[in-house]
Amino acid sequence: MNETMQLGEWIGRDNGEAPTSSVEGAADAPVPMEAVRGKLTANAPLDKHVWFRSGGKADWLFEPADVQDLKDFLEALDGSMPVMALGIGSNMIIRDGGVPGVVIKLGAPFMDVEVTGETTLEAGAAAPANKVARRAAKAGIDGLTFLTGIPGSVGGVTRMNGGCYGRETCDVLTDCDVIMPGGEFVTLTNAELGYSYRHSALPDGAVVVAARFEGFPGEPETIKAAMKKITAERGESQPIGSMTGGSTFKNPPGHSSWKLIDAAGLRGFKNGGAQVSEKHCNFLINTGDATSSDIEGLGEIVREKVYQHSGVQLEWEIKRVGRP
């Protein structure tokens, strides 16, 4: 099946939360180049940084050398333009018009995972969530195995309360270190993050730089076996290896999104180069030449048709950011 729809035709369309306006003076460096030790790049392509492999450029991409470099940068920026942190890019659509302001991309200096106690770990925000699960297993720390099923970074799961298999980040996170939009370094407890389903109270422009987790004692081989089972189940049920963005829509109360999409006859449905996965209906796929408009437009078609069929309005779990 293939269908094209002009975005905005459906009254229930969700336009996302990211700023879409141009930024005055964006051609000029947002802070003096000599004021940063990391890498600051103008008009930086972002498609290679997201799993959909689509989308436009960032006005500016900043890759800080360390926490202090990021703190200094945000202090100098002083709220003069929008700031967005970008992790692994597994649950995000970068719109074709690109992202205004500054995109922060944390790299190797933020990837360490360290066991800090009998049942505790600390991880940099750029570390993949499954790296935390593997390190915990090796140390005999149980309770974090679900993280092996989340294709995201520590910063991403901390902000979005990532979860699967009946567990969420809020179940294991104790606190996290955050650089606020004005450059202030703060440590926020689990309670202060105000967690709910796939949501935290972190403000726009705040950048998670590290997080701490707590599990409980377990046997390394038993934990590793549970992780292996999760990995196998994901491979069997999800389009692993495709250009996808992971779980597209939140599960409405009392429903599974994939079942609602399947019941509406949308398995394999296409919009341009984007397709609803044949393997798992709550995954959208770039079949090779999809634009971000194709992908987001497909999501909106799915939302409309599911509503027409079942009366349930799906909510996006994938973040859509930038200019259309």
Side-chain angles (χ1 to χ4, degrees):
M1 291 182 288
N2 202 325
E3 182 169 326
T4 301
M5 173 180 286
Q6 293 296 316
L7 297 187
E9 288 182 0
W10 179 41
I11 193 170
R13 172 169 165 71
D14 181 347
N15 289 311
E17 302 172 353
T20 58
S21 61
S22 298
V23 177
E24 293 296 328
D28 298 324
V31 303
M33 299 292 282
E34 61 271 16
V36 299
R37 290 178 287 110
K39 185 178 180 182
L40 184 60
T41 307
N43 297 314
L46 294 177
D47 55 348
K48 63 182 179 182
H49 294 295
V50 293
W51 284 24
F52 274 123
R53 293 294 186 265
S54 68
K57 299 177 179 180
D59 288 351
W60 289 94
L61 179 67
F62 181 50
E63 300 166 87
D66 50 33
V67 171
Q68 188 62 48
D69 192 31
L70 176 58
K71 185 176 185 299
D72 293 344
F73 177 83
L74 291 177
E75 283 180 350
L77 196 61
D78 195 27
S80 61
M81 60 177 62
V83 172
M84 184 193 82
L86 175 61
I88 291 175
S90 59
N91 201 234
M92 178 175 287
I93 294 172
I94 300 290
R95 290 174 174 148
D96 298 315
V99 179
V102 180
V103 172
I104 307 291
K105 178 70 176 177
L106 304 183
F110 299 85
M111 287 189 179
D112 289 345
V113 178
E114 178 184 0
V115 175
T116 56
E118 184 179 353
T119 58
T120 57
L121 304 93
E122 179 172 342
N130 61 16
K131 181 178 179 180
V132 178
R134 293 196 304 271
R135 188 68 186 89
K138 184 177 180 181
I141 300 173
D142 205 346
L144 283 74
T145 56
F146 74 97
L147 291 174
T148 201
I150 302 178
S153 65
V154 165
V157 301
T158 298
R159 174 177 282 277
M160 294 305 302
N161 192 23
C164 61
Y165 296 96
R167 299 274 281 170
E168 296 178 305
T169 301
C170 63
D171 297 324
V172 295
L173 184 138
T174 56
D175 58 26
C176 64
D177 296 333
V178 180
I179 309 295
M180 301 301 279
E184 180 187 7
F185 179 96
V186 298
T187 297
L188 300 176
T189 65
N190 187 309
E192 289 171 327
L193 288 166
Y195 278 131
S196 58
Y197 181 62
R198 303 296 179 264
H199 178 78
S200 75
L202 281 170
D204 291 342
V207 182
V208 177
V209 293
R212 284 162 287 277
F213 304 91
E214 183 169 7
F216 51 88
E219 292 296 328
E221 293 309 313
T222 302
I223 300 169
K224 290 176 183 177
M227 290 169 56
K228 187 176 180 179
K229 181 180 179 182
I230 289 173
T231 300
E233 288 177 352
R234 286 186 66 233
E236 291 173 1
S237 64
Q238 299 176 12
I240 305 299
S242 299
M243 291 184 287
T244 184
S247 182
T248 305
F249 302 106
K250 300 175 183 178
N251 286 322
H255 297 278
S256 293
S257 290
W258 78 265
K259 290 182 180 179
L260 292 169
I261 296 167
D262 201 19
L266 295 168
R267 185 181 293 268
F269 191 95
K270 292 182 179 179
N271 183 59
Q275 181 179 17
V276 175
S277 171
E278 296 271 7
K279 196 170 190 178
H280 193 308
C281 293
N282 200 26
F283 283 67
L284 304 183
I285 293 173
N286 178 352
T287 62
D289 60 353
T291 64
S292 290
S293 181
D294 288 342
I295 298 166
E296 186 173 7
L298 175 59
E300 286 301 319
I301 293 169
V302 168
R303 293 182 68 238
E304 181 193 21
K305 290 186 176 296
V306 165
Y307 184 74
Q308 290 174 344
H309 182 266
S310 66
V312 178
Q313 185 159 302
L314 296 177
E315 293 184 24
W316 284 91
E317 183 170 329
I318 286 179
K319 294 300 176 184
R320 293 98 57 234
V321 300
R323 310 176 183 100

